[in-house]
């Protein structure tokens, strides 16, 4: 991983994270953007470095393969493929809470700013709604998806939770809503996004959301 000067392109620092690593760095603070979270998929560890100097601030060993971290409200959530979810302190890397889901995970968890819950779509069937503080289970919602059909994190958008679900020759978008703040999940509608699966995460375009399927189909909602 390299850190450079955006003005003249000069290299400021470098940090080895292993050739296996594909996750991009993330800021621990959305406003100040001072420290960066780096993943090491070879050693199964997460590090925090100073964004300007690259100096190591802390390193936390996860100990097993994990998915791309979710950083919201200056809190770090790590989900492993075995179904373990951890909450890390962004200043020390200390594990503040952890839980084991009864199913494996193929996608990172999601949390919206100001919502006291995180959302984890299991390898099949269920969506788990967990407390953002102690990771206790607050609700289980049955989506009914097949094993391996959800590989992207669910996404909050305009008060709804979007869950792309792939089939062999299609991609559907399950739009979920909540009867109260973040809880009592209901299915609002299911949209046919494309005549083929999609492996790319959706992108925000202002008020709109852009989806691209693996076959090149593009849809803007």
């Amino acid at each position: 991983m390299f850190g450079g000067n955006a003005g003249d392109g000069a290299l400021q620092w470098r940090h080895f994270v292993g050739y296996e690593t594909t996750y991009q760095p993330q800021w621990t603070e959305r406003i100040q953007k001072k420290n960066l979270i780096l993943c090491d998929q070879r050693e199964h560890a997460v590090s925090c470095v100073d964004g300007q100097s690259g100096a190591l601030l802390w390193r936390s060993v996860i100990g097993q393969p994990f998915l791309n971290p979710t950083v919201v409200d200056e809190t770090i959530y790590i989900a492993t493929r075995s179904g373990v979810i951890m909450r890390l302190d962004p200043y020390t890397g200390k594990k503040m809470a952890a839980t084991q889901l009864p199913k494996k995970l193929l996608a990172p968890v999601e949390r919206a700013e100001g919502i006291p819950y995180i959302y984890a779509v299991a390898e099949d069937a269920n969506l788990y709604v967990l407390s953002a503080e102690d990771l206790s289970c607050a609700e289980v919602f049955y989506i009914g998806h097949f094993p391996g059909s959800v590989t992207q994190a669910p996404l909050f958008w305009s008060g709804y939770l979007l869950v792309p679900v792939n089939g062999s020759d299609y991609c559907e978008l399950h739009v979920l809503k909540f009867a109260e703040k973040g809880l009592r999940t209901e299915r609002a509608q299911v949209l046919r996004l494309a005549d083929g699966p999609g492996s790319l995460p959706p992108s925000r375009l202002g008020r709109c959301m852009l989806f691209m399927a693996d076959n090149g189909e593009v849809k803007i909602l």
Side-chain angles (χ1 to χ4, degrees):
M1 196 71 66
F2 296 93
N5 188 307
D8 57 17
L11 180 65
Q12 301 287 96
W13 54 266
R14 68 181 69 190
H15 192 92
F16 184 73
V17 293
Y19 297 107
E20 297 84 355
T21 298
T22 59
Y23 302 152
Q24 294 299 313
Q26 300 184 59
W27 296 106
T28 58
E29 310 95 356
R30 184 174 61 87
I31 304 299
Q32 295 182 347
K33 295 184 177 180
K34 181 181 178 182
N35 300 328
L36 283 168
I37 295 296
L38 307 182
C39 297
D40 186 333
Q41 290 175 258
R42 169 182 289 184
E43 301 292 338
H44 307 311
V46 177
S47 301
C48 182
V49 301
D50 182 277
Q52 290 189 347
S53 68
L56 180 65
L57 302 177
W58 55 258
R59 185 174 185 269
S60 180
V61 176
I62 306 303
Q64 57 181 302
F66 60 91
L67 301 156
N68 205 3
T70 301
V71 185
V72 179
D73 288 343
E74 297 188 16
T75 305
I76 304 167
Y77 298 95
I78 304 288
T80 72
R81 296 187 181 276
S82 66
V84 175
I85 299 177
M86 310 173 189
R87 180 170 71 90
L88 304 185
D89 186 311
Y91 302 105
T92 65
K94 179 181 177 182
K95 296 180 179 67
M96 306 298 291
T99 190
Q100 170 73 65
L101 297 182
K103 292 179 178 288
K104 295 181 180 180
L105 297 173
L106 298 178
V109 301
E110 170 69 331
R111 182 187 174 191
E113 291 187 0
I115 299 294
Y117 303 101
I118 65 171
Y119 301 84
V121 180
E123 182 181 31
D124 67 282
N126 296 333
L127 166 75
Y128 292 91
V129 184
L130 309 176
S131 164
E133 283 295 317
D134 62 13
L135 301 181
S136 60
C137 185
E139 182 180 354
V140 180
F141 179 78
Y142 180 72
I143 297 177
H145 57 287
F146 294 111
S149 59
V150 176
T151 58
Q152 300 297 328
L155 186 66
F156 260 102
W157 179 50
S158 298
Y160 294 91
L161 188 69
L162 309 183
V163 183
V165 178
N166 289 319
S168 59
D169 60 351
Y170 67 87
C171 180
E172 292 181 338
L173 183 68
H174 291 241
V175 182
L176 308 181
K177 64 179 181 179
F178 306 97
E180 60 185 69
K181 189 175 182 180
L183 279 180
R184 295 175 59 193
T185 309
E186 302 174 2
R187 198 185 320 266
Q189 64 184 97
V190 179
L191 304 175
R192 183 87 170 203
L193 283 179
D195 295 325
S199 58
L200 295 174
S203 301
R204 300 178 190 270
L205 298 174
R207 291 181 55 202
C208 300
M209 192 69 66
L210 182 146
F211 293 87
M212 179 176 291
D214 295 347
N215 63 6
E217 289 186 56
V218 177
K219 183 162 289 185
I220 297 178
L221 304 179

